[in-house]
Amino acid sequence: MAAFEIRTSPRSTELRWFGVVIAAFFGLLGGLFWWHEAVVVARVLWGVGLGVAALYYALPPLRLPLYLVWMHAVAPIGWVVTHLVLALIFYGLITPMGAIMRLFGRDRLHQSFDASAESYWTAHDPGGDTARYFRQT
């Protein structure tokens, strides 16, 4: 099983929307360069975006290859960004919360060692009849 999967046979609606996304991507990237006063680069990016979008919609047989090339090109970027975000959340939020809870002696999972205990089993009363399983609303 792969770490991520690239859909090799997208639906036609996905392919149509992909053309809009490509045009918007180049448009926003050009806008960013225009905002930083690199007008020539912005115009080139807008031209590339317009050209790719026009080619994409004018020649439908090119849609799938262009889609697959783009997805394979940006998949490693998505993998890296996903792992960075998960690491930031874990080490920036979960780990400090755990350290603070440990500092204040909070043990929600009851993992502290008790040498005098015969067992760590916690009794649980399932309660009621099993017909309640079917009333989940």
Side-chain angles (χ1 to χ4, degrees):
M1 186 168 133
F4 54 88
E5 182 180 335
I6 296 173
R7 186 183 299 207
T8 57
S9 57
R11 296 186 304 262
S12 61
T13 55
E14 287 180 82
L15 288 176
R16 281 194 303 268
W17 274 105
F18 179 70
V20 173
V21 169
I22 289 293
F25 172 76
F26 281 108
L28 290 174
L29 195 59
L32 182 67
F33 277 99
W34 180 75
W35 186 56
H36 286 289
E37 298 180 6
V39 178
V40 174
V41 176
R43 288 182 180 167
V44 168
L45 286 171
W46 288 333
V48 167
L50 188 63
V52 168
L55 186 67
Y56 187 81
Y57 285 110
L59 299 171
L62 289 180
R63 289 180 183 175
L64 183 61
L66 185 61
Y67 173 85
L68 292 175
V69 166
W70 183 270
M71 289 299 160
H72 281 88
V74 298
I77 297 169
W79 186 87
V80 169
V81 169
T82 301
H83 285 77
L84 282 175
V85 168
L86 285 173
L88 285 172
I89 289 171
F90 183 77
Y91 291 112
L93 186 68
I94 306 296
T95 302
M97 281 179 21
I100 291 170
M101 287 173 66
R102 183 172 287 192
L103 183 66
F104 288 111
R106 180 124 184 202
D107 186 19
R108 294 287 297 160
L109 298 178
H110 309 291
Q111 291 181 328
S112 58
F113 181 71
D114 184 9
S116 64
E118 284 185 34
S119 172
Y120 288 103
W121 181 262
T122 304
H124 173 70
D125 178 28
D129 66 317
T130 56
R132 68 184 171 89
Y133 297 158
F134 298 102
R135 294 188 311 262
Q136 296 291 320
T137 57

